[in-house]
Amino acid sequence: MCRYAVTMYKMHHACVTCRVSFKRHPDPERADRCPNCAGPLICAGRDFAPPPRRDTRAWSVVAAVLGEGLRYEGRSVCGCVKEPKYRPRTRAELRARRVAAARAGLPLAETLSRVDPLTPTADTAAGSGGAGRR
């Protein structure tokens, strides 16, 4: 039986302006707002580990990752298989992926999810010039 099919787990939501994180049940009808600034909370996924509030550099990387529409997920949707996804942690890693995306003409979200920004994914390498891109 699937792990997430039985129990409704809370998702991490983050406010990058205030540099805070909360765990809340997903509710599509309610727009989650930050209790500090009343700004919108961004869903960060189930496996988000927020950096310390005083670490502004790490929060700038989190803001870039969440701004591209990526989440910090480590399990498949049903929760049966653990598939850790790579996300950059430092500004140097983020900078390297931005440069690689600009050089290769790829979307930033695709290069942010790569362990090595210069190694093409299987879809890009096997495809005919981007037929496998999303």
Side-chain angles (χ1 to χ4, degrees), residues 40-86:
L41 290 175
I42 302 170
C43 182
R46 289 185 176 92
D47 295 332
F48 177 61
R53 189 171 181 184
R54 66 185 176 278
D55 192 357
T56 57
R57 291 181 179 192
W59 274 100
S60 68
V61 175
V62 169
V65 169
L66 294 178
E68 287 297 318
L70 299 174
R71 289 180 171 182
Y72 291 87
E73 295 286 350
R75 294 194 178 270
S76 61
V77 177
C78 66
C80 295
V81 181
K82 180 92 169 153
E83 299 173 3
K85 306 272 193 288
Y86 174 81

Side-chain angles (χ1 to χ4, degrees), residues 4-74:
Y4 295 128
V6 178
T7 306
M8 192 68 153
Y9 288 94
K10 293 181 180 179
M11 301 280 286
H12 289 270
H13 290 77
C15 177
V16 293
T17 307
C18 299
R19 298 186 307 266
V20 294
S21 174
F22 305 97
K23 288 182 84 173
R24 297 189 175 179
H25 286 289
D27 188 5
E29 296 177 6
R30 182 185 71 198
D32 288 328
R33 295 278 176 193
C34 176
N36 298 336
C37 69
L41 290 175
I42 302 170
C43 182
R46 289 185 176 92
D47 295 332
F48 177 61
R53 189 171 181 184
R54 66 185 176 278
D55 192 357
T56 57
R57 291 181 179 192
W59 274 100
S60 68
V61 175
V62 169
V65 169
L66 294 178
E68 287 297 318
L70 299 174
R71 289 180 171 182
Y72 291 87
E73 295 286 350

Side-chain angles (χ1 to χ4, degrees), residues 85-87 97 100 104 106-134:
K85 306 272 193 288
Y86 174 81
R87 298 293 180 257
R97 276 139 188 85
L106 297 173
L108 182 60
E110 185 177 329
T111 55
L112 284 177
S113 60
R114 292 181 184 175
V115 176
D116 182 16
L118 302 177
T119 305
T121 59
D123 293 339
T124 309
S128 58
R133 286 188 219 148
R134 293 182 206 166

